[in-house]
Amino acid sequence: MRAFARALFGRRARRRWIHLILGGALAMPYVFVGQLVVGPAMDARYVFQDLFLQLASFAVGLPLAAVTALFPLTRPLESGAVRWLCGVAPDRLAYGPARSRAAKGRTAAWFTLHLGLGGIVSGMSLALPPFALFLILLPVLARFRAEQLDLPPSLDHTWVFALAPVAGAASLLALAACAAGCGALLARWAPALLGPAPEDRLAAAERRAADLAVRNRLARELHDSVGHALSAVTLQASAARRVLDSDPEFVREALAAIEDTTRRTVGELDAVLGVLRDGDAPGTAPAPTLDADLDGLLRRTRAGGLRVSCDLGVDPAALPPLLSREAYRIVQEGLSNALRHGGAGGRDGDGAGVALRVVRSGDRLEISVENPLTGPAPCRPGGGHGLRGIADRARLLGGTSEAGPAGGSWRLRVRLPMKDPA
């Protein structure tokens, strides 16, 4: 019984009733236009005095409503009303204007259905409650104002006065049931008539893919720039701490390298965060490239005591800009992996070394980073996303990447086409 009462008078039913009343209000202008057509055609002066003429005016006005539903804002407005008043999930509705012919036809069908059912329920909501109230109060009125009622002889019976309140209550329940049923019908048909068309779903999928690509790019850039900086700064600080008393000159160099690394990382961070802005703000630091920034990257890495040899068999200035930027990030992440897996090593040539090789092989640029797996535990906890980022960069450029242990060494090898991908 409680579920039945909730279905007829609950919050959702009341909201849907309001939605139907709004449909009836929207139908009124079309009904008035229909009266201008029906009145002269039926030679009737007062259309409101005849129920048949009112229904005819209503029937004439609905096709006009279907035509006006082709207005672009109809579907967004109706979708918003259905979401808030009918309880339909937002992802099942389309909020943009209907562009295809099929979508416009479905929108017109929905608008006509909304106004048609809304007009019927609105008319019942205006007529039935006063009539039901009269039936409920009929026994009381008949007792105290019997002479003023002037009922027809056929209704002047005791059983009529006894059943009148029951009929009045039943008519109110019938009105609530009709409103709840029409509201549930509209809520069920809304996704089919106002839902996204295949082209809408494709556009939404493309927007989600673009947003995901931006997020992945941002995460990759942050990992490569900030992650490498943290690894390098940690290694430099660790090396400086070990020789703090015995080699003040090396400590000064390490502190200078830490200062330079952090200052440069702040600039790179500002450039990466520019992805989140509408455009590149004035003064934003440019993305690092292999031509302009490889020497600084090697100098900052060596400042921590790690021995790095570099075999540069290609002119970085001759590389395409996109390839130069991505190659720099790959080298940067490769050196970060060397810091984590190879350890700090010694200084002045002692300890583990890293072999960096950037050469041209035919129409491809080959990048390899190799270091012995003989160092202590990784200097920076975490990680695990760098190699995936390198693989993503290589794939986007049409290249390949491989990484893993080879004998007693850890080897990273990337092959990239020399031309920018289409």
Side-chain angles (χ1 to χ4, degrees), residues 102-281:
K104 292 179 180 179
R106 289 193 298 269
T107 303
W110 166 263
F111 194 64
T112 305
L113 182 65
H114 181 202
L115 269 59
L117 295 180
I120 294 173
V121 173
S122 298
M124 295 175 60
S125 300
L126 290 175
L128 275 182
F131 178 68
L133 182 62
F134 172 77
L135 292 179
I136 293 173
L137 298 179
L138 183 58
V140 178
L141 297 176
R143 180 170 183 176
F144 294 101
R145 298 178 178 271
E147 297 179 355
Q148 300 179 6
L149 286 178
D150 194 19
L151 293 175
S154 59
L155 297 180
D156 193 7
H157 300 286
T158 304
W159 62 271
V160 172
F161 297 114
L163 293 179
V166 178
S171 62
L172 291 178
L173 287 176
L175 172 61
C178 183
C182 292
L185 184 65
L186 288 179
R188 182 175 182 179
W189 285 359
L193 297 178
L194 292 178
E199 56 269 20
D200 297 326
R201 298 182 187 275
L202 179 60
E206 290 176 350
R207 288 193 297 269
R208 286 194 296 269
D211 293 341
L212 184 60
V214 171
R215 292 178 58 186
N216 288 340
R217 176 188 170 193
L218 177 62
R220 188 168 60 242
E221 294 290 337
L222 285 175
H223 177 274
D224 290 350
S225 61
V226 179
H228 171 80
L230 291 176
S231 296
V233 166
T234 302
L235 179 59
Q236 292 160 353
S238 176
R241 178 180 55 82
R242 289 196 300 268
V243 296
L244 181 61
D245 297 327
S246 59
D247 194 345
E249 182 63 26
F250 178 81
V251 173
R252 282 193 292 269
E253 294 178 0
L255 291 178
I258 291 175
E259 180 183 3
D260 180 58
T261 301
T262 53
R263 182 184 298 111
R264 184 174 185 82
T265 304
V266 169
E268 292 184 14
L269 181 61
D270 183 62
V272 171
L273 294 180
V275 177
L276 297 178
R277 306 187 182 103
D278 293 336
D280 291 334

Side-chain angles (χ1 to χ4, degrees), residues 72-83 88-99 103 106-107 110 190-201 204 207:
L73 290 180
T74 301
R75 189 168 72 165
L77 293 175
E78 286 291 318
S79 297
V82 168
R83 175 189 175 186
V88 179
D91 57 347
R92 303 182 66 189
L93 301 172
Y95 289 94
R99 303 191 183 278
R106 289 193 298 269
T107 303
W110 166 263
L193 297 178
L194 292 178
E199 56 269 20
D200 297 326
R201 298 182 187 275
R207 288 193 297 269

Side-chain angles (χ1 to χ4, degrees), residues 375-410:
C379 64
R380 181 175 65 89
H385 301 286
L387 295 179
R388 185 187 309 170
I390 291 177
D392 290 341
R393 292 181 188 276
R395 184 176 62 255
L396 290 175
L397 292 176
T400 59
S401 69
E402 5 179 286
S409 302
W410 177 271

